[in-house]
Amino acid sequence: MGKRPFQRILLRNLVLITLPLSFFLLALALLAGVLLGHPGWRVISADGAEQAVNLYQQGEKNVSLPCGGLVPSGMVYEADGKEKGVYFYELKNRTVYLYLLPDSLYEHTAAEDYRLPESIHVTFREDASAASLLESDYAENLGVPASATEGLVSPVVFDALHYPGREIGLLRFLKTTAQIAGSALFVYLILVIVFPGLNILNLRYRRMGYALDSLDRELRDDLDFYNGRAAVTGSLILRISFPKIWIMRRDELREVTTKSRKKNSGRVYFCGFSDGNGHSLSLPLRNKEEQSLLMELVTGPEEEEESE
């Protein structure tokens, strides 16, 4: 069974646990990255309002752009009867651009003094009614006909209020976390292959008072029975399952039984063991011959009872 049979079994179980999980996490990170590259979720930096509008016309949904020098327009955005944000505007190359900002993005320090962040993340929406209202208000203040300011205000609004920042932030966090966790698991698995003592599954057997070297020695040098799912050594009985290996000492045995049951593929056989501490262990066997061999090995060549 090799030089370290017990630790090889633990390594196999660890691989069956961590490798699929690592691939799943890396696939999740890849999926989050693909979603963040989709126009509905990705965020592109724009130098200013004109470039942002061009990006919108190319199909982009979200941008990051500077917002220094914005002026409050006096228009308020309301929903469900409550004020949700304020429209600011910026004049660039004879075009007025509207910014809808939530209260959380700016600080109103005085009657006409607003402290704004250096840049904001926004999504786009077209709001012709807001543009028309601002044009009319501008024309009225200038004392000119409304037609004189027609087309002055861009109907494309840079909407920071409805920017899906929480969802995008969650996707970014998911991508980073899954990428780090998946890579860490993969690296850990490689380290365990090189240094078996780092296997976290070892802790269970150390707490039970077993030394890994002694378990390796039992399976390597004192093996009486082995079928891939069960093993019996000179002093131990082991059920080799996933993800645990169940162990019972032969010198503590109090009762040994046999049983079998029908399955679609035929009949399956078991040997049951119990000790003086109230623990029980059932070993799966491949056929009747293995069952008889194991019973004779553990109890001696005595007649055993089979329960159907």
Side-chain angles (χ1 to χ4, degrees):
M1 295 182 66
K3 293 182 178 180
R4 294 178 175 178
F6 190 83
Q7 293 185 57
R8 285 184 63 184
I9 294 169
L10 290 183
L11 177 59
R12 178 205 66 183
N13 288 353
L14 183 70
V15 169
L16 292 174
I17 294 171
T18 58
L19 198 58
L21 182 58
S22 177
F23 283 142
F24 171 76
L25 289 171
L26 292 175
L28 191 62
L30 180 61
L31 175 62
V34 170
L35 289 176
L36 287 171
H38 190 273
W41 299 101
R42 68 182 171 215
V43 181
I44 297 180
S45 295
D47 294 335
E50 291 175 289
Q51 186 185 13
V53 171
N54 290 334
L55 289 170
Y56 167 71
Q57 292 170 348
Q58 294 169 20
E60 296 299 330
K61 305 294 183 182
N62 310 291
V63 296
S64 172
L65 74 166
C67 62
L70 300 187
V71 180
S73 67
M75 293 189 300
V76 173
Y77 176 86
E78 292 186 355
D80 300 324
K82 295 182 180 179
E83 180 179 325
K84 298 294 183 178
V86 174
Y87 284 97
F88 287 72
Y89 72 89
E90 177 184 37
L91 178 62
K92 289 285 184 179
N93 294 330
R94 299 183 180 181
T95 302
V96 174
Y97 297 97
L98 289 177
Y99 295 70
L100 175 57
L101 306 183
D103 294 338
S104 58
L105 266 184
Y106 60 86
E107 183 181 350
H108 194 178
T109 57
E112 295 297 331
D113 187 13
Y114 289 83
R115 185 174 299 168
L116 296 166
E118 291 183 2
S119 63
I120 55 174
H121 291 81
V122 298
T123 189
F124 299 102
R125 68 185 178 93
E126 294 199 32
D127 193 341
S129 61
S132 176
L133 182 62
L134 189 60
E135 286 173 351
S136 300
D137 187 61
Y138 189 63
E140 183 178 345
N141 289 335
L142 291 177
V144 298
S147 58
T149 58
E150 187 175 350
L152 173 69
V153 181
S154 170
V156 179
V157 178
F158 306 136
D159 190 347
L161 179 63
H162 298 100
Y163 169 72
R166 183 176 300 176
E167 294 83 354
I168 293 175
L170 181 61
L171 270 179
R172 286 175 173 167
F173 173 78
L174 180 64
K175 177 188 175 183
T176 303
T177 303
Q179 200 169 26
I180 293 174
S183 300
L185 277 176
F186 193 73
V187 171
Y188 168 67
L189 187 58
I190 294 175
L191 288 175
V192 171
I193 293 174
V194 179
F195 306 104
L198 296 177
N199 192 336
I200 195 172
L201 299 181
N202 296 348
L203 297 177
R204 165 181 166 83
Y205 307 100
R206 287 173 179 165
R207 286 196 297 264
M208 293 169 64
Y210 294 104
L212 295 180
D213 289 341
S214 67
L215 290 170
D216 282 330
R217 192 163 45 251
E218 284 278 339
L219 285 173
R220 184 182 65 241
D221 302 332
D222 200 14
L223 185 64
D224 294 328
F225 175 86
Y226 179 76
N227 69 353
R229 295 176 292 178
V232 177
T233 71
S235 59
L236 301 175
I237 298 174
L238 304 93
R239 175 169 179 165
I240 301 169
S241 58
F242 173 78
K244 297 178 180 178
I245 302 173
W246 303 92
I247 304 175
M248 184 176 288
R249 298 184 186 273
R250 288 182 68 170
D251 58 8
E252 296 177 351
L253 286 181
R254 293 292 181 269
E255 184 180 3
V256 182
T257 60
T258 62
K259 62 180 179 179
S260 65
R261 67 168 182 261
K262 290 182 178 180
K263 289 185 70 176
N264 293 335
S265 57
R267 184 173 289 273
V268 292
Y269 298 86
F270 300 88
C271 273
F273 304 90
S274 58
D275 60 18
N277 301 317
H279 301 139
S280 60
L281 183 63
S282 179
L283 298 186
L285 305 167
R286 290 177 291 193
N287 49 51
K288 175 69 173 177
E289 288 72 21
E290 278 193 355
Q291 188 182 61
S292 300
L293 175 63
L294 189 55
M295 282 295 295
E296 184 175 345
L297 176 65
V298 176
T299 64
E302 298 179 3
E303 185 176 351
E304 68 271 9
E305 259 182 59
E306 180 177 344
S307 59
E308 296 287 336

